[in-house]
Amino acid sequence: MKRSPATPARPPSDSPAKGEKLAQRLSHILALLHQGDTIDKHRLAQDFQVDVRTIERDLAERLHGIAERGEGRRWQLTHAARSTIPAQHLHHYARLTGTQHLFPDASLRYLLEQLETPEAQRSTQVLATAQEDLRAAGAEGGHNFNQLQQAIELTHECRFDYKGKPRQAQPYRLLHRNGVWYLAAEEGGKLKNFSVALIQGLQVDGARSFARKAEHQAYIDAQDDVWFTTSTTEVLLRVSPEMAHYFSRRAQLPQQQHRPQGDGSLLVSSRINHINQLLPVVRYWLPHVRIVRPVEWHEELLRGLREALEMWKA
């Protein structure tokens, strides 16, 4: 009797389904890793209806060389696998640079669409703001910035020359304001700011550490300018109807508050650390801005204008 050839063994009917589920699970984990999200093994096990040990095996074995444990035993991409910046870092970068409100739509999808659109086809363009280039000061500029960063992180005291005078300071933070980098530091018990570009002969004393004062840190955190004083002066300005829009669309002064008036003008209040913080702003908007209070600051503005006119006559 002739025997028919043996029928090849068929794989279990659920093998393709298992392979597909594995691919979907690994793809999802990779997406989370690329976005910088925290890997929740228990949540993944629940979502994919597998044991937690299966997720652990995915990370430790199936994604070996791609995923690794970082600080706090948190899973992350290996350095070799980091070909792109995690998407969520776009939001962190926007907050770091103070541009989180630059676009009306701050969603991740919108930002990614803008980055993926060729520059010539983009419907938006952000005009660059003038920024100082610390590298223009030579190797010392960038070196000082890096040294100050480390000194702040390690709470080490610093010595340097500033405007021809030797200084010894305790650094708290590097601040960027209107295109210029400043160092917020305590000197002689007072909180001061120093232009980083003007710091010379910087020396970080690794043997001398200091304890940050909570009141200094809180003061820096609350400021939206780099003028540091122990007291402020409340000022009140009147802005003409023609220029009111420019003061209401964005703050021109620190801690600015404004109230529209019936004639279309604007009453603008602010707390100013020094008169020289206010006068340049008012001069820029003349004759559409008037100092209502304090009266003596208005008189100081007029005195300065008269002196300038006399100089120009000569």
Side-chain angles (χ1 to χ4, degrees), residues 118-132:
E119 187 172 354
Q121 300 176 18
R122 288 177 189 161
S123 59
T124 59
Q125 179 182 358
V126 179
L127 301 179
T129 303
Q131 311 283 337
E132 73 171 345

Side-chain angles (χ1 to χ4, degrees), residues 129-144:
T129 303
Q131 311 283 337
E132 73 171 345
D133 186 357
L134 291 177
R135 296 169 299 180
E140 187 177 26
H143 178 73
N144 283 353

Side-chain angles (χ1 to χ4, degrees), residues 185-198:
E186 178 185 339
E187 183 188 36
K190 295 182 178 180
L191 196 60
K192 301 179 179 180
N193 70 75
F194 304 89
S195 171
V196 174
L198 298 180

Side-chain angles (χ1 to χ4, degrees), residues 232-235 272-279 291 293-302:
T232 60
T233 300
E234 184 174 358
V235 302
I272 300 296
N273 295 316
H274 193 278
I275 187 173
N276 289 337
Q277 185 182 13
L278 175 69
L279 293 186
I291 301 176
R293 291 197 306 266
V295 175
E296 56 270 26
W297 283 19
H298 173 70
E299 293 173 350
E300 178 65 19
L301 171 67
L302 295 179

Side-chain angles (χ1 to χ4, degrees), residues 60-190:
E61 299 177 11
R62 297 187 175 104
L63 295 176
H64 177 71
I66 299 175
E68 64 181 3
R69 288 187 185 274
E71 296 181 1
R73 297 184 61 78
R74 181 173 179 270
W75 285 96
Q76 62 187 21
L77 289 175
T78 62
H79 285 285
R82 297 176 195 175
S83 58
T84 59
I85 299 175
Q88 71 170 19
H89 288 189
L90 290 172
H91 289 314
H92 298 330
Y93 181 77
R95 287 194 294 272
L96 176 66
T97 57
T99 58
Q100 64 267 39
H101 302 301
L102 180 62
F103 296 103
D105 187 349
S107 67
L108 184 59
R109 175 178 295 180
Y110 174 81
L111 295 176
L112 290 175
E113 286 176 353
Q114 296 304 303
L115 292 175
E116 293 170 355
T117 302
E119 187 172 354
Q121 300 176 18
R122 288 177 189 161
S123 59
T124 59
Q125 179 182 358
V126 179
L127 301 179
T129 303
Q131 311 283 337
E132 73 171 345
D133 186 357
L134 291 177
R135 296 169 299 180
E140 187 177 26
H143 178 73
N144 283 353
F145 190 88
N146 294 333
Q147 289 287 93
L148 289 170
Q149 276 189 302
Q150 294 180 21
I152 293 169
E153 294 169 0
L154 300 175
T155 62
H156 287 161
E157 292 192 356
C158 298
R159 294 190 300 274
F160 52 86
D161 292 328
Y162 190 79
K163 296 183 178 180
K165 295 181 180 179
R167 310 282 187 148
Q168 183 167 346
Q170 300 172 339
Y172 274 71
R173 183 170 294 171
L174 288 164
L175 305 171
H176 191 265
R177 175 69 174 173
N178 293 333
V180 178
W181 279 105
Y182 296 91
L183 170 68
E186 178 185 339
E187 183 188 36
K190 295 182 178 180

Side-chain angles (χ1 to χ4, degrees), residues 263-284:
D263 61 355
S265 65
L266 208 64
L267 283 180
V268 175
S269 62
S270 175
R271 299 204 66 86
I272 300 296
N273 295 316
H274 193 278
I275 187 173
N276 289 337
Q277 185 182 13
L278 175 69
L279 293 186
V281 177
V282 176
R283 293 192 195 105
Y284 180 86

